[in-house]
Amino acid sequence: DLDRLIVNRNDDWPDEVFKDVDWVKSKINSGVYRRFCLGLDLDTDYLLFVDDDTIPGKNYIATVIRQNEEQPGLYSAAGFRLNHEDYNKRFVFGWAAMGNTRERTVVDWPGHSWFVHKSILIHSFELPRYPSNLCGEDMRLAFATQQLGLKSYVSPYSTDQTTWGSLAGTKGQDDNATWRLPSQKRNMHNAMDFYRGHGWKFLSEL
């Protein structure tokens, strides 16, 4: 069971969604790093952060807890293996590429949701921050995971959809999606180079 849910509340959501949970409302778009800041204040060993375009299956949390017990690390609903020369040549696992993720899969860069031990989160805030509010927070989390001797994984997408990290393959496609910004791919590549410059290594480099 979830002890607490913290959301960046959208006024369009009905009040009953928030009836039995703690929530945080932000009047400004504080960017991608701020959500992880909230996790630092929670008295718990593990946290699950979920993007607003990601809808986990009802048994996803139980699945990712079991996966982490078998192989501790950072778990996500989607992930990428990266090419250090070109961000656009990344290879996708998980959400939008479910067919190639039938088993737990090691990735360089986890995305869309993050099941993480608080010690990893704390360490990530001890590392340099890429100077953008639009990207880089999940790369820094993967970098922190690596520095602690652990790996980043995408949890399996089996035939049981209730265990999937995301059921929302068509969400996040409107004009508000940050990935649609003309400058975002270059921004992502720059973030990749930034963290590599501080010591983050890809699987192909280990």
Side-chain angles (χ1 to χ4, degrees), residues 113-162:
S113 74
W114 304 269
F115 178 81
V116 58
H117 194 277
K118 192 174 180 181
S119 62
I120 298 175
L121 184 67
I122 291 172
H123 183 54
S124 74
F125 280 91
E126 298 170 349
L127 299 175
R129 169 179 166 168
Y130 177 65
S132 169
N133 280 331
L134 295 176
C135 70
E137 84 294 359
D138 39 12
M139 294 184 189
R140 186 171 73 166
L141 201 59
F143 182 21
T145 301
Q146 186 178 87
Q147 285 206 326
L148 293 176
L150 299 169
K151 295 180 180 179
S152 299
Y153 300 95
V154 174
S155 56
Y157 280 74
S158 69
T159 55
D160 180 4
Q161 294 188 18
T162 69

Side-chain angles (χ1 to χ4, degrees), residues 17-91:
V17 171
F18 303 97
K19 182 176 62 174
D20 299 318
V21 298
D22 294 338
W23 55 272
V24 173
K25 180 178 180 179
S26 176
K27 293 183 179 180
I28 62 171
N29 184 346
S30 56
V32 296
Y33 286 89
R34 188 59 59 89
R35 55 186 168 187
F36 289 164
C37 291
L38 290 170
L40 298 175
D41 292 330
L42 298 183
D43 184 17
T44 181
D45 289 334
Y46 288 93
L47 302 115
L48 175 64
F49 298 91
V50 182
D51 266 352
D52 58 1
D53 58 357
T54 302
I55 302 175
K58 66 179 182 179
N59 293 321
Y60 174 68
I61 294 177
T63 299
V64 80
I65 288 174
R66 183 173 64 253
Q67 289 289 319
N68 186 72
E69 288 173 346
E70 295 174 359
Q71 183 63 65
L74 169 61
Y75 281 82
S76 61
F80 309 89
R81 289 184 182 170
L82 297 171
N83 182 310
H84 69 275
E85 295 180 350
D86 188 349
Y87 165 79
N88 293 316
K89 293 180 180 179
R90 65 196 182 280
F91 194 80

